[in-house]
Amino acid sequence: MSRISFRSKELENQISRRKAFLGPSLSTHYHNPILVERGRGTFLIDFRDQAFLDFVNNPASLGHCHPHVVRAAAEQLAQLNTNTRYVYAELTDYAEQLTRLFPEKLHVCFFVNSGSEANDLALRIARAHTKAQDFIVMEGAYHGHTEELIKISPYKFDGKGGFPQPANVWKVPVPDMFRGDHRSDSNPARSYALHVKTALDKMKTSGKRPAAFICEGMLSTAGYHPLPPRYLKQVYELVREEGGVCISDEVQSGFGRAGEGKMWGFELGDAVPDIVTLGKPMGNGFPLAAVVTTKELAASFANGMEYFNTFGGSTAAMRVGQAVLEAMVFDDVLRNVDEVGRHLKKELNKLRDRHECIGDVRGSGLFLGLEFVRDKSSCLPAPGLTTYVVEASRCRGLLLGSDGIHNNVLKIKPPLCLSREQADLMVTVLDEVLSSAPSLEDEKMKELAMGLEEDQASLDRVNQLVRDCGYGAGRTWQGEKGGGAFKMSSSHHFLVGVLVGALLTVVMTRSRSMLN
């Protein structure tokens, strides 16, 4: 196979300019970054017109540059973009549509611009309601980049440049069913939930009370571990008994990624939180996020201090949010996530059977984790191999990333428009990379990964897949097959509202039947 160097004057120039004008703490994906110019569907395209199959950019959940969302944003920006101190239908229309996606008690929205803003506001609401300051968090969790969120994010404060665990933060173990202490227990959900009870007991002994337990509906940075059935339900009961509230961080797992016909990760746990935070996929790449909570908690937060967010809830943001829900209906996203997600997981499990280095395949929908180990008998983490796989896959046109407490978990969260053919190509590339990977110590594997070059035959294969999707070649996209393209006149919006309402009714009926 021919191999080429992907360093170029254009790329080197952009890297130099980043170093000159941006802070050094700002990182890039991959040892040799990609100079991207555009995207469509599941693909990112670089300055050479080279396509990459994207399995890591979950904010563009409907696909990069979804035409309906782009059109909605452009049309609204051309008409009006203002803030919530004015009265406009876009705000209340979207709030009503959004809350119909949730259990009945979650009926009040606060709109913000990012998942970090949403989680920061959720902490404020929890403190205002409970008059307490302590938080229970999951080991390895990350909830955002503000100062308050870094303090409750072990992923950050336990890592490089971190600091000692704050006195008001209580970590509990990840319910790890692969190598965790309780993986063989008859009731692992209860065993892991008891760690939360221990934290609550220690809190009480020290004269403190919980403000909240905050946990993702599906764990991401902590290792893509699915929570054991009824774990959240038991934990929520324990926390509420001590006066705390329960926050479900759905910034990564929300809006249909969980599979099984669910909109939210917490639905898989047979539990209903008091606060839900939303972000990344909410605007399909547009800065849109939210906190959804109960009337009771919202009333506690209304203590006389006004809450105002200049761009949170703007007319453009609300129209984009509506467009995302409309596109989910037209693109039949929930069905695609379930069907393609099940197919992909089945194929990844076949890879696990063939490769000694794959210890576990886990998750649901299109929120999957693949854990690399040195061998199946020891199950020792293999972070060096994980780095090698990520870099080697990039050289073959497949974009992946790694996460987990040991940085040995391949995170798999592609756009939700992923097709079976694209899923199969991902598995093929991964198989090729693992079949050709040498068996070396971690540091040697990482060093080897830094010297990899692109495989042109593999890259051509991705370009052909782009053409097969109807996107054409070069800088002109030919058609929108598979990209969810449609143009709606104003007369169609009522019909779409009915369709969205029908979708939400079906989703909520399923959820409530499971909770009863």
Side-chain angles (χ1 to χ4, degrees):
M1 295 182 181
S2 62
R3 297 184 180 276
I4 61 173
S5 173
F6 37 76
R7 285 289 182 175
S8 64
K9 290 182 180 179
E10 293 91 340
L11 177 59
E12 295 291 359
N13 178 51
Q14 288 300 327
I15 292 173
S16 296
R17 294 176 69 195
R18 284 173 69 104
K19 291 179 179 178
F21 300 113
L22 302 174
S25 57
L26 190 68
S27 66
T28 59
H29 282 309
Y30 313 110
H31 177 67
N32 289 286
I34 300 171
L35 179 53
V36 293
E37 284 197 346
R38 62 198 185 281
R40 182 70 94 242
T42 53
F43 300 100
L44 286 176
I45 315 295
D46 75 3
F47 72 106
R48 307 164 299 174
D49 293 326
Q50 175 59 56
F52 293 85
L53 184 56
D54 185 2
F55 264 69
V56 74
N57 273 298
N58 59 324
S61 60
L62 299 178
H64 292 284
C65 304
H66 192 289
H68 181 55
V69 178
V70 170
R71 188 175 296 115
E75 290 178 354
Q76 186 60 55
L77 285 168
Q79 177 177 323
L80 172 70
N81 192 27
T82 190
N83 63 66
T84 55
R85 286 196 173 123
Y86 297 94
V87 179
Y88 43 88
E90 289 83 2
L91 177 65
T92 48
D93 285 349
Y94 181 58
E96 182 178 1
Q97 290 177 351
L98 183 64
T99 54
R100 290 181 65 184
L101 286 163
F102 290 93
E104 192 170 339
K105 77 169 190 174
L106 296 168
H107 199 67
V108 180
C109 299
F110 294 86
F111 292 109
V112 294
N113 305 291
S114 70
S116 289
E117 281 193 23
N119 280 328
D120 196 83
L121 178 57
L123 301 193
R124 288 180 59 191
I125 294 172
R127 288 187 174 118
H129 183 72
T130 64
K131 305 298 188 292
Q133 298 294 321
D134 285 47
F135 295 91
I136 301 174
V137 302
M138 193 71 68
E139 181 183 16
Y142 172 66
H143 295 291
H145 63 74
T146 69
E147 182 176 2
E148 285 300 305
L149 296 174
I150 294 294
K151 289 178 181 178
I152 67 160
S153 296
Y155 180 76
K156 289 294 186 181
F157 68 68
D158 281 340
K160 293 180 180 179
F163 47 83
Q165 180 175 326
N168 70 322
V169 174
W170 305 76
K171 284 192 301 187
V172 294
V174 171
D176 184 347
M177 299 304 295
F178 177 60
R179 65 159 57 84
D181 291 341
H182 305 301
R183 63 187 183 278
S184 300
D185 289 10
S186 59
N187 189 346
R190 175 172 173 75
S191 298
Y192 279 111
L194 287 176
H195 288 280
V196 176
K197 186 178 188 310
T198 298
L200 290 166
D201 290 343
K202 289 181 179 179
M203 204 181 292
K204 184 184 294 186
T205 300
S206 60
K208 297 181 175 182
R209 295 182 296 108
F213 168 77
I214 180 169
C215 179
E216 293 177 289
M218 301 175 75
L219 305 186
S220 60
T221 57
Y224 289 76
H225 296 278
L227 297 172
R230 300 185 67 79
Y231 170 79
L232 280 182
K233 187 176 182 67
Q234 294 181 58
V235 169
Y236 284 6
E237 290 173 355
L238 291 169
V239 171
R240 286 166 177 154
E241 284 175 3
E242 298 301 325
V245 300
C246 303
I247 304 171
S248 183
D249 179 346
E250 298 284 343
V251 171
Q252 295 217 50
S253 58
F255 287 91
R257 185 166 290 278
E260 299 185 20
K262 308 300 183 187
M263 286 295 291
W264 317 114
F266 70 78
E267 293 182 278
L268 300 175
D270 191 26
V272 178
D274 304 299
I275 302 174
V276 179
T277 57
L278 309 173
K280 298 183 188 299
M282 191 173 183
N284 200 54
F286 189 94
L288 170 59
V291 173
V292 181
T293 188
T294 67
K295 289 186 176 181
E296 181 185 8
L297 268 68
S300 296
F301 186 60
N303 60 2
M305 180 186 293
E306 179 195 17
Y307 177 77
F308 174 68
N309 189 309
T310 302
F311 298 108
S314 70
T315 47
M318 298 297 91
R319 184 65 198 100
V320 166
Q322 287 179 310
V324 168
L325 295 184
E326 291 161 359
M328 288 185 71
V329 174
F330 277 93
D331 293 352
D332 205 1
V333 166
L334 295 182
R335 178 196 58 78
N336 192 67
V337 170
D338 200 39
E339 292 183 1
V340 178
R342 288 177 188 273
H343 172 73
L344 177 57
K345 188 175 181 181
K346 180 182 72 174
E347 295 303 311
L348 290 173
N349 274 312
K350 291 179 183 178
L351 272 193
R352 182 192 61 183
D353 295 339
R354 292 202 298 272
H355 294 281
E356 181 69 12
C357 60
I358 301 179
D360 193 27
V361 175
R362 53 183 177 252
S364 64
L366 289 174
F367 195 90
L368 304 174
L370 190 152
E371 180 158 353
F372 288 114
V373 296
R374 295 184 186 179
D375 56 75
K376 287 184 171 72
S377 57
S378 70
C379 289
L380 291 172
L385 174 62
T386 310
T387 299
Y388 177 88
V389 168
V390 169
E391 296 290 345
S393 297
R394 174 254 179 270
C395 292
R396 291 171 178 262
L398 173 64
L399 304 184
L400 296 165
S402 61
D403 242 325
I405 294 172
H406 306 291
N407 198 34
N408 69 318
V409 178
L410 209 61
K411 52 184 178 182
I412 301 169
K413 44 184 184 177
L416 305 185
C417 56
L418 185 75
S419 69
R420 282 195 175 213
E421 184 181 13
Q422 293 162 359
D424 288 341
L425 179 59
M426 179 269 187
V427 175
T428 296
V429 171
L430 193 54
D431 191 24
E432 292 171 350
V433 169
L434 292 175
S435 297
S436 61
S439 180
L440 300 172
E441 293 298 317
D442 277 337
E443 291 307 312
K444 289 290 185 181
M445 290 298 290
K446 292 177 182 178
E447 182 180 337
L448 182 63
M450 300 304 105
L452 293 171
E453 294 185 348
E454 288 183 330
D455 184 285
Q456 189 59 54
S458 296
L459 293 175
D460 291 343
R461 183 171 52 187
V462 178
N463 283 339
Q464 182 58 52
L465 191 59
V466 171
R467 290 189 286 271
D468 291 344
C469 287
Y471 296 144
R475 299 177 183 275
T476 302
W477 296 103
Q478 299 172 354
E480 298 287 357
K481 185 176 70 174
F486 53 91
K487 180 171 179 59
M488 295 185 359
S489 65
S490 58
S491 62
H492 289 149
H493 280 283
F494 174 76
L495 174 60
V496 171
V498 173
L499 290 172
V500 170
L503 169 68
L504 306 188
T505 300
V506 168
V507 170
M508 289 311 305
T509 300
R510 289 179 183 173
S511 300
R512 288 169 183 161
S513 65
M514 290 193 66
L515 293 174
N516 291 332

